[in-house]
Amino acid sequence: MLSLALTGVEVGFPGLDTPALSIPRLSVAAGGQLAIAGPSGSGKSTLVNVITGLERPGAGQVLWNGTDIARLPESARDRWRGANVGLVMQDFHLFPGLSALENTLLPARLARVADRALAARAAGLLAEVGLHRPAQKVETMSRGEMQRVAVARALLRRPGVIVADEPTASLDPANGAAIGALLVGLARRSGATLIVVSHDPALIALLPRRLTLAGGVVHEDVTEPA
Amino acid sequence: MLRFILADLGRMKAGALVIVALVALAAALGVAVTLQERALRLGSARAADKFELVIGAPGSETQLVLSTVFLQPAALPLVGGDVLAALHDDPRVAWAAPVGFGDFHHGTPVIGTTARLISETAPGMAQGRMFATEGEAVAGALTGLAPGDEITPTHGELGHDHENVRYRITGRLAPTNTPWDRAIMVPIQSVWRVHGMAAGHDHAEDEAHGSLDPDTEGPRQSADHDNPESAAQHLVEGDGHGDLDSAEQEHVEDEAHGSFHPDAPLPEEEGWHGAPGVPAILVKPATIADAYKLRQDYRAQEDTMAVFPAEVLTGLYATLGDARQVLAAVAAAAQALVAVALLLVTLTHVGQRRRQIGALRALGAPRGAIFAMVWGELFALAAAGIALGLGAGVLAARLLSAAIAQRQGFELPVTLTAGDLAGLALLLALAALLSALPAWLAYRQPAVASLRG
């Protein structure tokens, strides 16, 4: 339910003449679904970092529903991200020793927003992604199951945008397809904006709009007719 | 949060255990040094409790105290019997009793003294009764002797037997928690007699300042020593007054053992007139003011020395305190070393967890939570170590005390004071502060570090 508008975003690295990322204008409608593709070093990760507020651009605005997160101080950006962004990462970042349910709730607990209702929601989400043993320790799970936990975790706080960074890259094709379908379906049902960075053609094919980066600039921006 | 910390610790159990053990050892070292030193001080002060004023011949004050209170074997000069008599008649004195040492029974000191001293210093008899004749003896609580046992004293720990001398144990004392628990008490009169210097009738009597031990008169008599090292062991030494020649000396010794009268009654209240010399006299002054006056008087005299054992011990404690400070410094250095080592380990650990910490932040955990987590984890380890160290230190001190009590016979009470706990609180505060450093680093870790390695 968040719309994104980037204007004049530039991210440079010290010692490099050309910026790592340069996006004069880019907007994503609320509830839109966007795939970002491109070769390694094309600026995909930098773009994800900028739109999630993990990294502050050297110049430009990153407006989410009108809030310029590039201007928020670090703690405020962390808070904003926790409340608004559901993040799914390539290598899951689950914490061994904790159960699926505990992992799903961990960020919310650390942010002191987890209550009984949220715990119930976590259990419901785990069931929704196809996991029926919420007490199972994550280190005993398969990679596909782990990524399902990560998806449930991303959705827990009803984020306005889900950002997935190579969510299928470390999975086998069958699990990759399942996770891709889950992400797209859950985002659509919740109305969240979905931004997926991926190399995976099968996953990219599920999304209506494709952005291709090359050398830090937008090379191609194609929207398939619905 | 707590679950997360526990899960994290569970994941690196071995490392966590090593850290706790390290902290515990360092803390225990400090605790044990402090406690043991205090126990030694308290224990010896209690052992000296009943010994208000000790009078002896001029010499080492420290040795006089160590020999009378702790029964440490040493050669002491003798103080004349007239001093004992004078003290007995002195209105400022509640009671005064001679303490004569030098004889042993299988390593257990045999102390010549009076029934008065024993009843004044011990809480009572555990078994049997006080000695009533010269051939009877009272055993200390830890000697392992019981009424009915018989002993033959040897002169010095490795010395020759006093043949024909046989004491019968008539009673066993209740424990006093002092080294006297490991001693056998016999009537002083019999000690004099055994050593050929009994008052009144024997021909050693003419020498009031005479030695309890004519053997050790000097090297010129070495001819009659078949084992010269035993001479070195002789604990009660002639003071040079002895002008008996060596032949007469032999004679006295033989005669003396012959004159041991096990059934002779003890004329304790006779007033000690004409009594032979003794190495030490324990005096119970009537009042505190009298104690100081007595000490002053007997200090002023040329041939006597008067000490408050408590005062002498205070001097010793000062030395002990210095030693403790050295040990405490060593313990503190060990603690600092451990702290630095742990800091190194934890900094590395935080470095290795960059990605994990970054991921938590990327997922929306506030930086404060990250700080609290890292800090909590480290502090929990340090606190566990310190708590364990406290226990281990107390236990070590207790065991050491028990071992010393076993050997020396005096109790070393291990006590914790508020000061110790304050010291530990300080250590905890230090641990809290040190834990904050890696936590701060984690706090400063950019969230972006998580995403791609």
Side-chain angles (χ1 to χ4, degrees):
Chain A
M1 305 143 270
L2 289 178
S3 65
L4 172 67
L6 299 186
T7 35
V9 167
E10 298 238 345
V11 179
F13 289 118
L16 245 71
D17 290 341
T18 50
L21 187 69
S22 172
I23 297 180
R25 246 195 104 64
L26 174 70
S27 54
V28 180
Q33 299 198 330
L34 170 71
I36 301 172
S40 294
S42 60
K44 291 181 312 232
S45 297
T46 309
L47 180 55
V48 166
N49 291 345
V50 165
I51 63 178
T52 53
L54 285 169
E55 199 172 338
R56 203 198 289 259
Q61 288 184 313
V62 182
L63 295 170
W64 280 104
N65 271 9
T67 305
D68 186 359
I69 62 165
R71 292 186 160 197
L72 293 176
E74 196 163 351
S75 297
R77 260 186 292 141
D78 282 356
R79 258 199 312 280
W80 175 85
R81 185 173 53 248
N84 296 292
V85 180
L87 208 53
V88 178
M89 289 166 280
Q90 176 177 345
D91 30 8
F92 324 140
H93 284 297
L94 298 177
F95 297 89
L98 299 179
S99 70
L101 186 66
E102 286 168 330
N103 261 287
T104 307
L105 281 164
L106 182 63
R109 281 191 172 147
L110 290 178
R112 301 184 173 284
V113 295
D115 52 17
R116 199 174 287 270
L118 210 60
R121 174 169 165 78
L125 278 169
L126 284 173
E128 209 168 335
V129 298
L131 296 172
H132 300 287
R133 288 168 56 201
Q136 190 182 358
K137 292 262 193 282
V138 289
E139 65 269 26
T140 65
M141 292 181 150
S142 72
R143 299 184 71 79
E145 288 172 321
M146 287 188 188
Q147 194 62 301
R148 285 167 206 264
V149 175
V151 169
R153 179 179 61 189
L155 284 157
L156 182 67
R157 292 176 68 185
R158 304 178 201 277
V161 55
I162 298 167
V163 177
D165 187 11
E166 300 282 9
T168 59
S170 58
L171 301 176
D172 58 80
N175 270 310
I179 291 293
L182 254 178
L183 272 174
V184 172
L186 284 169
R188 188 158 296 146
R189 251 177 288 160
S190 68
T193 309
L194 178 65
I195 297 175
V196 179
V197 172
S198 184
H199 277 105
D200 179 359
L203 178 54
I204 293 170
L206 293 174
L207 303 170
R209 183 177 172 194
R210 268 159 254 166
L211 194 74
T212 312
L213 290 179
V217 296
V218 175
H219 181 66
E220 222 181 2
D221 186 351
V222 186
T223 306
E224 280 188 1
Chain B
M1 170 91 78
L2 200 63
R3 278 286 294 132
F4 183 78
I5 290 178
L6 288 179
D8 208 48
L9 288 177
R11 222 155 36 82
M12 31 171 220
K13 245 180 238 128
L17 283 181
V18 169
I19 288 176
V20 169
L22 263 178
V23 175
L25 279 179
L29 188 61
V31 169
V33 165
T34 313
L35 291 188
Q36 200 54 51
E37 187 262 351
R38 183 179 307 131
L40 205 56
R41 221 151 19 93
L42 271 177
S44 51
R46 281 187 198 173
D49 203 26
K50 305 273 185 179
F51 294 73
E52 287 185 37
L53 178 64
V54 175
I55 291 175
S60 159
E61 295 189 352
T62 308
Q63 194 56 59
L64 182 62
V65 170
L66 290 179
S67 292
T68 35
V69 177
F70 301 101
L71 301 177
Q72 189 193 80
L76 286 182
L78 302 188
V79 64
D82 51 334
V83 174
L84 186 56
L87 282 167
H88 185 265
D89 297 338
D90 198 318
R92 296 171 299 180
V93 174
W95 54 270
V99 181
F101 17 75
D103 286 348
F104 288 85
H105 168 70
H106 296 315
T108 304
V110 175
I111 313 292
T113 186
T114 63
R116 180 73 189 266
L117 181 140
I118 296 169
S119 55
E120 293 283 354
T121 56
M125 306 296 287
Q127 234 184 321
R129 56 165 180 84
M130 184 63 67
F131 53 64
T133 68
E134 289 189 16
E136 293 180 341
V138 167
L142 300 176
T143 50
L145 294 167
D149 290 349
E150 291 205 340
I151 62 155
T152 294
T154 56
H155 194 76
E157 267 178 296
L158 301 170
H160 59 78
D161 277 8
H162 289 296
E163 283 162 47
N164 309 330
V165 179
R166 198 162 284 265
Y167 290 106
R168 204 168 54 78
I169 307 285
T170 57
R172 192 166 57 85
L173 289 170
T176 58
N177 292 325
T178 71
W180 284 58
D181 285 347
R182 298 205 168 263
I184 299 163
M185 273 63 77
V186 301
I188 185 77
Q189 289 85 352
S190 71
V191 171
W192 283 328
R193 225 187 269 281
V194 165
H195 290 86
M197 45 192 294
H201 350 276
D202 279 279
H203 50 267
E205 117 229 25
D206 51 347
E207 194 42 63
H209 292 248
S211 171
L212 280 190
D213 175 17
D215 286 2
T216 56
E217 191 55 27
R220 62 200 162 94
Q221 275 121 31
S222 60
D224 52 45
H225 286 143
D226 29 22
N227 50 347
E229 62 277 335
S230 89
Q233 287 287 337
H234 287 174
L235 305 168
V236 185
E237 205 164 46
D239 57 6
H241 287 251
D243 44 9
L244 307 165
D245 68 41
S246 103
E248 195 178 350
Q249 191 92 29
E250 281 276 295
H251 180 57
V252 168
E253 173 94 306
D254 291 345
E255 190 80 353
H257 282 181
S259 68
F260 178 65
H261 303 309
D263 301 323
L266 302 172
E268 198 170 325
E269 293 309 315
E270 71 179 346
W272 304 114
H273 289 288
V278 287
I281 303 168
L282 176 59
V283 178
K284 167 75 181 174
T287 67
I288 292 177
D290 290 337
Y292 281 91
K293 279 185 221 144
L294 282 165
R295 182 178 65 147
Q296 200 174 0
D297 287 359
Y298 283 87
R299 267 192 174 170
Q301 289 180 27
E302 229 171 64
D303 53 353
T304 58
M305 171 174 82
V307 298
F308 292 149
E311 198 179 68
V312 172
L313 287 176
T314 306
L316 283 179
Y317 298 153
T319 317
L320 202 63
D322 292 345
R324 186 192 69 97
Q325 272 179 347
V326 171
L327 286 176
V330 170
Q335 282 164 2
L337 219 64
V338 166
V340 170
L342 287 188
L343 211 56
L344 189 74
V345 168
T346 51
L347 287 181
T348 318
H349 181 62
V350 165
Q352 282 167 348
R353 290 173 66 181
R354 276 171 64 89
R355 279 170 59 75
Q356 193 196 42
I357 289 165
L360 279 172
R361 284 199 47 203
L363 292 169
R367 287 201 289 180
I370 305 280
F371 180 92
M373 226 164 57
V374 174
W375 182 86
E377 200 166 314
L378 290 178
F379 183 67
L381 288 180
I386 289 171
L388 222 66
L390 172 63
V394 171
L395 191 71
R398 288 241 164 93
L399 289 178
L400 211 61
S401 280
I404 291 175
Q406 181 71 27
R407 236 187 24 230
Q408 303 289 337
F410 71 101
E411 196 184 36
L412 298 179
V414 173
T415 49
L416 269 177
T417 66
D420 298 335
L421 297 181
L424 284 175
L426 192 74
L427 207 60
L428 271 180
L430 212 65
L433 215 64
L434 279 181
S435 307
L437 187 62
W440 173 247
L441 282 186
Y443 178 87
R444 294 281 312 255
Q445 199 121 98
V448 73
S450 62
L451 296 187
R452 301 262 176 87

